[in-house]
Amino acid sequence: MKYLSIRQPYEILVGEGSFPSFRPEEGEVLLKMLYGGICGSDLSTYRGIMAYASYPRIPGHEFSAEIVEIGPNERGLKRGMVVTANPYFHCGHCYSCQRGLVNCCETNETMGVQRDGSFREYFTMPADRLFDGEGIPPRQLALIEPFSIGYHGVKRADVKSGDKVLVVGAGTIGVLTAVSAQLMGAEVYLSDIDPAKLEFVRTNFDFAGTLLNDSSEHFQEQVRSITNHNGFDVTVEAVGQPSTFQNCIDAAAYGGRVVQIGVGKKSLEFNFTVIQKKELNIFGSRNARNDDFRHLIRAVGDGKLNIERVITNVYDFTRAADAFSDFDRNTGKMMKVLLKFCDESSH
């Protein structure tokens, strides 16, 4: 079977590997890959700037797949079902896991980052990590994982109807975070440094507004105008840069909530006393939990949301090198990039 590997920064290999061994007695499922989304973390691994990655690495943790073989299980999963999965593997022993906070396991291994991922024609996973796609088309089902990241973040901040929410970063995670906040009844705004991304957002989504983050002064001017000088009830950082975290601190209202989703390597230097002065509530948000996946599968399956609008490009997986290279050079024009592993007519 074919698989994809990031051998080292900026080097993609489409290789031939052995078919995975399958042990149904251990609760494994043999899966045939259908669609995989190139996550920002995959792109960061490609660029050599991912905080958690090592090489060589098979990327991929956003996916839809078909069950090829499965043993007896308690989740009603059957051969032929189209599924997605929780790709965050936890140890089960650390203090976080003992308290049920498995999404922030101290030794978490996310597929495609700390362990090999799904970008291969066939692979195995534990049955207890899979979710029935409930009829969602495979292209949309591959978006549930990044959707769950943003959804988990806004849940952390207890976003509710009437809140003014600002999401800083209009990439896929930022847009799906905004959709999540809107799903909870919030008045949602998106900010980015790239006018093209904001135009994409305005064209494809019905948010309350956008803010061009072309300078600190202009950013603050727009925040004051939108919030009547009060600041936002909730701000969400979805980039992973010190400057965008600072934006979120600055734009938050007194007594506001700040959520950190973005991942980066750079250190932040700022006047931390503003946290005390504003009495800010700051939440880290890592990965997602099973309930997040289940809720979003139901929401998308009910037809309430058309998250497929974030997809801008689809490549055959054999053209993965082109997909990564194009995405690297055109992040302002490309939102969610999918790799297609299946025959389009069969799914």
Side-chain angles (χ1 to χ4, degrees):
M1 68 160 194
K2 290 185 173 65
Y3 70 94
L4 311 181
S5 177
I6 302 177
R7 306 299 296 173
Q8 59 185 9
Y10 296 100
E11 183 183 328
I12 296 281
L13 168 71
V14 178
E16 295 276 353
S18 58
F19 199 79
S21 59
F22 173 55
R23 298 179 295 276
E25 69 280 358
E26 297 182 15
E28 281 191 348
V29 181
L30 179 62
L31 297 170
K32 177 182 179 181
M33 186 71 166
L34 300 178
Y35 285 92
I38 298 178
C39 177
S41 63
D42 297 322
L43 186 60
S44 292
T45 301
Y46 175 75
R47 290 169 166 170
I49 59 172
M50 178 58 192
Y52 304 131
S54 58
Y55 304 91
R57 179 64 63 217
I58 296 175
H61 57 261
E62 307 173 3
F63 67 87
S64 58
E66 180 182 345
I67 296 177
V68 177
E69 295 290 345
I70 187 170
N73 66 92
E74 298 178 352
R75 305 189 64 169
L77 299 171
K78 301 175 183 177
R79 181 187 301 179
M81 274 187 173
V82 177
V83 298
T84 191
N86 180 329
Y88 326 118
F89 285 75
H90 58 280
C91 71
H93 306 296
C94 70
Y95 189 45
S96 296
C97 288
Q98 290 174 33
R99 291 177 291 154
L101 306 175
V102 297
N103 60 296
C104 55
C105 169
E106 294 174 22
T107 54
N108 170 81
E109 291 188 355
T110 297
M111 292 173 64
V113 184
Q114 295 98 337
R115 62 164 60 198
D116 282 339
S118 61
F119 285 3
R120 33 191 165 173
E121 290 182 296
Y122 294 89
F123 61 102
T124 61
M125 281 195 73
D128 61 9
R129 293 196 157 272
L130 301 181
F131 302 98
D132 177 8
E134 300 183 10
I136 298 173
R139 282 166 56 119
Q140 287 194 47
L141 191 59
L143 301 174
I144 292 296
E145 190 278 336
F147 196 2
S148 72
I149 296 293
Y151 182 76
H152 181 74
V154 294
K155 274 179 60 181
R156 292 273 290 143
D158 192 27
V159 170
K160 55 187 179 297
S161 180
D163 279 342
K164 270 191 169 68
V165 176
L166 173 66
V167 179
V168 178
T172 300
I173 295 296
V175 170
L176 292 177
T177 299
V179 172
S180 299
Q182 195 174 53
L183 190 62
M184 296 174 182
E187 180 183 320
V188 184
Y189 295 80
L190 262 169
S191 174
D192 203 276
I193 63 172
D194 192 331
K197 283 189 176 180
L198 296 182
E199 179 60 30
F200 176 87
V201 166
R202 287 190 292 268
T203 301
N204 291 280
F205 295 89
D206 187 26
F207 301 129
T210 59
L211 293 76
L212 179 62
N213 193 2
D214 53 348
S215 72
S216 177
E217 294 76 14
H218 187 213
F219 176 80
Q220 287 290 355
E221 177 186 324
Q222 293 167 92
V223 170
R224 289 191 293 269
S225 175
I226 291 168
T227 67
N228 194 27
H229 293 257
N230 293 323
F232 286 90
D233 301 296
V234 179
T235 61
V236 185
E237 200 288 327
V239 180
Q241 293 289 338
S243 60
T244 45
F245 181 76
Q246 183 72 64
N247 291 149
C248 288
I249 295 290
D250 294 341
Y254 280 64
R257 290 101 78 195
V258 178
V259 185
Q260 176 65 36
I261 294 178
V263 178
K265 283 185 173 182
K266 295 180 180 178
S267 298
L268 173 67
E269 292 185 9
F270 75 111
N271 180 7
F272 62 86
T273 303
V274 70
I275 297 173
Q276 179 271 338
K277 180 180 180 181
K278 286 188 171 183
E279 197 176 59
L280 296 177
N281 302 278
I282 299 181
F283 301 87
S285 181
R286 188 174 188 187
N287 298 331
R289 304 179 72 172
N290 285 345
D291 285 349
D292 301 321
F293 283 86
R294 294 190 188 101
H295 181 89
L296 294 177
I297 288 172
R298 286 194 300 270
V300 174
D302 287 345
K304 297 177 183 177
L305 304 166
N306 180 14
I307 57 174
E308 194 168 348
R309 285 175 291 182
V310 301
I311 301 171
T312 56
N313 304 82
V314 180
Y315 292 75
D316 188 273
F317 79 97
T318 58
R319 295 185 56 224
D322 292 335
F324 275 88
S325 177
D326 291 348
F327 199 11
D328 175 49
R329 291 181 287 105
N330 297 283
T331 52
K333 300 176 182 178
M334 299 167 74
M335 186 69 66
K336 175 49 62 182
V337 179
L338 293 185
L339 297 179
K340 179 170 68 73
F341 291 77
C342 65
D343 177 5
E344 191 83 41
S345 62
S346 64
H347 292 282

